[in-house]
Amino acid sequence: MFQQTPPELGNQFDDDSVLRSYLNRVLPDEVRGEIEPDLRTMGELAGGELYDLCLEDRLNEPVLINWDAWGERVDRIQVTEVWRRAERIAAEHGLIATAYDQRHGPLSRVHQFALAYLFTPSNDMYSCPLAMTDGATRILLDSGNQELIDRAVPHLTSRDPAQFWTAGQWMTELTGGSDVGLSETVATQDAEGRWRLSGRKWFTSAITSQMALTLGRPVGNGPGGRGLALFYVNTRDEDGRPNHLRVERLKDKLGTRKLPTAELTLEETPAELVMEAANGVRNITPLLNITRLWNSVTAISYMRRGLALAEDYARKRVAFGATLAEKPLHAETMAEQEAEFMAAFHFTFAVVELMGRVEAGTGDETDAQLLRLLTPIVKLLTGKQAMAVVSEVIESFGGAGYVEDTGLPALLRDAQVLPIWEGTTNVLALDTLRALHKVGGLEVFTDRMDALAAPIREPGLAGIARSARTAVNHAERWLFQAMDLGQPAVERGARHFAITLGRAMEAALLAHHAQWSLDHEQDSRAWAAAMRFARHGVDQIVDAIPGEPKME
Ligand code: MFK
């Protein structure tokens, strides 16, 4: 009787020609020699033991235990087996420490995010607390608050699982996850001058963390994000009990179900100011910019995982007399997905490089401006690409992709969070406009595109770089026209504008890498991907049509 062989994963570093070719280009030989063994170990774990564990542990979910047997309120979260393993691995492999040890200077971020990219699709979203831990570390280090730095940073960046802490980020309230300035949490000072927070936090991931950064409004402050202040909270008291807070329930979410996301009530929770007693939204944005980059790394890692499984399956699955891999239409469909993934990969890691240079102090003002401008764009675009690619991956398995115990549906459900949390597509499209205003226009962007195009000699690739540049010119013209029409016209087109910039940058980066790969590896795969990506469409600008009727 026929028995289908399931898809399997090999070492996820060795099997990933996109990652390896990229590292060949950006890392000096001695750095690559030092980093590669680390990545290979992570690739082995991710494609082997951890992947198997994720499948075995598929039905387990975290449990909130509010009361102990003797009636004491404990609000303990029992996490899954994968999470317990992931916590150890994260510390031991320096998923946070690598970025802050700065062993490889500006390339430390490439090292860290390459590890995160390999680890994430096999850790049941443990990367969420890691992302927030990374962001909190950055904020504390830049805050100048030496007491908090000394207390928390050695734990957040520890490689010892017994010492390692994660950090939560409690921003979302019932009033909204996007319009954070509406937050209602009140900050008061008690008789000893200690700050205490009272309010409800409506969506807090991950509630297992030892500390959190959160926002509260000091009494007497005005409305909006300026009236909020950024606070540090120890989630547990010295006896391990919840620190004047209640974990009301865990969220019943569409995906990321292994990640304990909770509703909290803060009951005069002791808190410490991280910086000033105002401008909380502005002061927490460095954290958001880091978690947004983690979001993109997660997006490309999910695309890669889906494609790795689909490719293996296509070599095994026989239909209509041949393997799926040999079927021209199947192969072309998957090649188009691979092209989207490759473009998203190069975009994400280009922003990782920028972050590395800015943090290490080796970048210039242009790098800082590009980092600010590209962060919302890369987050919004890769989140959308992940959904589209993972959906095609599911379809490529036929009915098997729709069946839970293959583990495949969870990929799609988890990917759906990527365009939502850390700023929805529309919020980030508007942030792109805000960033553009801050950096003073598109010059930094177009200069970078021109620099990417300069070494390209292969005529097809040069054509791709040129048409990407033309798309950016179109986007710029649209923006000026929309500004003449007024703010609503600008906002209406912001999504198409941001996506066009993003796809143009992806096309330029992919074409640039393709030329390098032709020259140095005699490999034409990135070239083929660039052609497919460009055919899929870069320019998404919709010009205003005079007299066009309204929908409403
Ligand atoms: C595994 C993958 C990793 C994922 C981890 C996920 C776990 C986390 C779960 C969550 O916590 S999800 C919650 C995430 N929440 C958001 O992402 C909030 C989305 N909303 C926004 O981003 C809004 O744009 C924002 C709250 C920032 C708007 O608020 P306001 O009060 O209208 O802000 P405003 O006045 O525009 O900006 C205030 C200041 O911050 C301005 O600076 P100035 O005061 O100097 O003028 C802005 O320029 C600055 N700013 C805003 N966004 C910035 C920024 N600066 C740098 N970078 C940014 N992104």
Side-chain angles (χ1 to χ4, degrees):
M1 208 173 13
F2 174 75
Q3 180 61 53
Q4 179 59 48
T5 315
E8 286 167 324
L9 294 175
N11 181 310
Q12 289 301 280
F13 173 69
D14 288 331
D15 289 356
D16 192 335
S17 60
V18 176
L19 171 64
R20 294 182 51 178
S21 173
Y22 165 75
L23 294 179
N24 286 343
R25 176 166 63 80
V26 299
L27 298 181
D29 287 349
E30 70 281 5
V31 176
R32 203 173 67 245
E34 280 185 45
I35 288 176
E36 267 189 10
D38 213 12
L39 298 181
R40 185 162 286 113
T41 307
M42 187 57 86
E44 188 59 38
L45 275 169
E49 188 185 328
L50 268 182
Y51 174 58
D52 293 343
L53 191 57
C54 286
L55 286 177
E56 271 167 38
D57 202 44
R58 189 178 61 81
L59 294 174
N60 286 330
E61 292 190 356
V63 177
L64 167 63
I65 299 161
N66 287 122
W67 304 97
D68 77 1
W70 307 99
E72 188 178 0
R73 180 103 192 188
V74 288
D75 289 0
R76 215 174 36 239
I77 316 287
Q78 201 173 288
V79 296
T80 61
E81 178 60 26
V82 175
W83 266 52
R84 284 194 286 274
R85 283 279 289 133
E87 186 172 21
R88 284 196 74 81
I89 291 170
E92 285 169 355
H93 289 260
L95 264 290
I96 305 302
T98 302
Y100 295 92
D101 290 351
Q102 287 279 307
R103 204 178 143 76
H104 302 296
L107 292 169
S108 302
R109 280 287 182 188
V110 172
H111 181 189
Q112 177 208 18
F113 278 117
L115 280 170
Y117 161 79
L118 293 168
F119 185 33
T120 297
S122 290
N123 72 17
D124 280 347
M125 266 313 162
Y126 188 77
S127 285
C128 170
L130 291 178
M132 297 186 294
T133 303
D134 193 346
T137 307
R138 181 80 270 147
I139 290 222
L140 291 178
L141 283 173
D142 292 348
S143 70
N145 187 330
Q146 202 55 45
E147 205 185 319
L148 289 180
I149 294 172
D150 292 345
R151 191 185 321 160
V153 172
H155 289 287
L156 301 174
T157 57
S158 176
R159 290 173 186 265
D160 174 0
Q163 294 297 319
F164 182 57
W165 285 3
T166 58
Q169 160 200 349
W170 304 342
M171 289 178 70
T172 303
E173 299 196 2
L174 269 92
T175 43
S178 297
D179 191 356
V180 177
L182 293 176
S183 296
E184 292 178 320
T185 294
V186 175
T188 50
Q189 280 180 289
D190 63 20
E192 284 89 51
R194 179 165 216 186
W195 288 98
R196 294 191 173 267
L197 302 179
S198 301
R200 287 173 79 187
K201 297 289 176 184
W202 187 237
F203 206 95
T204 60
S205 301
I207 191 57
T208 45
S209 297
Q210 287 83 351
M211 59 155 280
L213 295 183
T214 189
L215 298 172
R217 192 176 310 281
V219 172
N221 275 17
R226 291 218 163 80
L228 293 167
L230 177 60
F231 287 95
Y232 170 102
V233 168
N234 282 320
T235 55
R236 302 262 153 189
D237 66 17
E238 275 136 26
D239 300 319
R241 283 189 295 255
N243 197 8
H244 293 256
L245 55 89
R246 285 202 312 266
V247 183
E248 305 292 5
R249 56 175 171 167
L250 297 185
K251 292 290 196 187
D252 187 7
K253 294 171 290 176
L254 170 70
T256 69
R257 293 189 66 90
K258 310 292 183 138
L259 166 67
T261 302
E263 290 169 23
L264 299 182
T265 303
L266 307 183
E267 301 173 303
E268 306 212 328
T269 308
E272 287 156 77
L273 273 177
V274 177
M275 289 172 253
E276 57 191 319
N279 294 315
V281 166
R282 188 207 300 153
N283 290 334
I284 205 167
T285 54
L287 190 159
L288 288 181
N289 290 335
I290 287 183
T291 52
R292 285 172 184 172
L293 193 49
W294 274 84
N295 204 84
S296 291
V297 171
T298 302
I300 56 173
S301 80
Y302 268 59
M303 289 187 246
R304 164 68 195 147
R305 171 56 53 86
L307 289 167
L309 290 167
E311 277 160 24
D312 187 64
Y313 189 65
R315 285 191 287 269
K316 294 168 172 166
R317 176 73 172 169
V318 174
F320 303 110
T323 62
L324 291 179
E326 292 165 304
K327 297 283 181 189
L329 181 53
H330 180 89
E332 185 54 29
T333 306
M334 297 322 286
E336 285 175 358
Q337 308 318 309
E338 180 79 14
E340 286 292 314
F341 154 68
M342 284 170 78
F345 178 98
H346 286 286
F347 191 13
T348 301
F349 270 92
V351 181
V352 167
E353 287 171 52
L354 283 172
M355 183 178 281
R357 286 203 292 275
V358 169
E359 287 184 337
T362 59
D364 55 17
E365 180 56 20
T366 307
D367 283 333
Q369 291 180 335
L370 262 180
L371 179 63
R372 174 68 186 99
L373 181 58
L374 295 185
T375 299
I377 300 176
V378 74
K379 193 284 187 185
L380 78 85
L381 181 55
T382 56
K384 285 293 190 202
Q385 288 174 305
M387 274 310 290
V389 169
V390 172
S391 173
E392 282 291 354
V393 162
I394 299 286
E395 186 178 336
S396 80
F397 280 89
Y402 206 62
V403 171
E404 289 290 351
D405 54 5
T406 61
L408 294 164
L411 267 182
L412 185 63
R413 277 198 300 271
D414 285 358
Q416 179 63 75
V417 82
L418 299 169
I420 297 177
W421 67 8
E422 300 311 302
T424 61
T425 309
N426 284 356
V427 165
L428 292 167
L430 297 174
D431 187 51
T432 303
L433 297 175
R434 193 200 273 117
L436 196 59
H437 184 69
K438 284 260 171 190
V439 307
L442 272 173
E443 201 179 333
V444 281
F445 188 94
T446 49
D447 283 354
R448 186 56 56 102
M449 284 194 61
D450 293 343
L452 289 167
I456 300 178
R457 295 182 324 281
E458 197 290 318
L461 292 173
I464 290 170
R466 261 196 316 277
S467 63
R469 187 68 168 79
T470 306
V472 176
N473 292 344
H474 185 197
E476 198 168 18
R477 272 199 317 280
W478 166 86
L479 183 60
F480 286 129
Q481 282 161 5
M483 282 161 67
D484 283 344
L485 294 172
Q487 188 59 16
V490 177
E491 288 192 18
R492 261 199 309 276
R495 179 193 275 241
H496 291 297
F497 176 74
I499 289 176
T500 300
L501 293 188
R503 290 190 70 83
M505 185 54 84
E506 287 191 346
L509 285 161
L510 190 51
H512 179 86
H513 183 77
Q515 180 70 60
W516 180 89
S517 187
L518 278 173
D519 293 345
H520 295 86
E521 300 174 320
Q522 289 72 50
D523 190 334
S524 60
R525 281 177 290 185
W527 178 14
M531 306 282 284
R532 281 184 174 79
F533 180 79
R535 279 202 295 270
H536 201 177
V538 169
D539 189 342
Q540 314 262 319
I541 294 295
V542 180
D543 289 307
I545 300 169
E548 185 175 328
K550 290 202 167 115
M551 291 284 287
E552 63 271 16

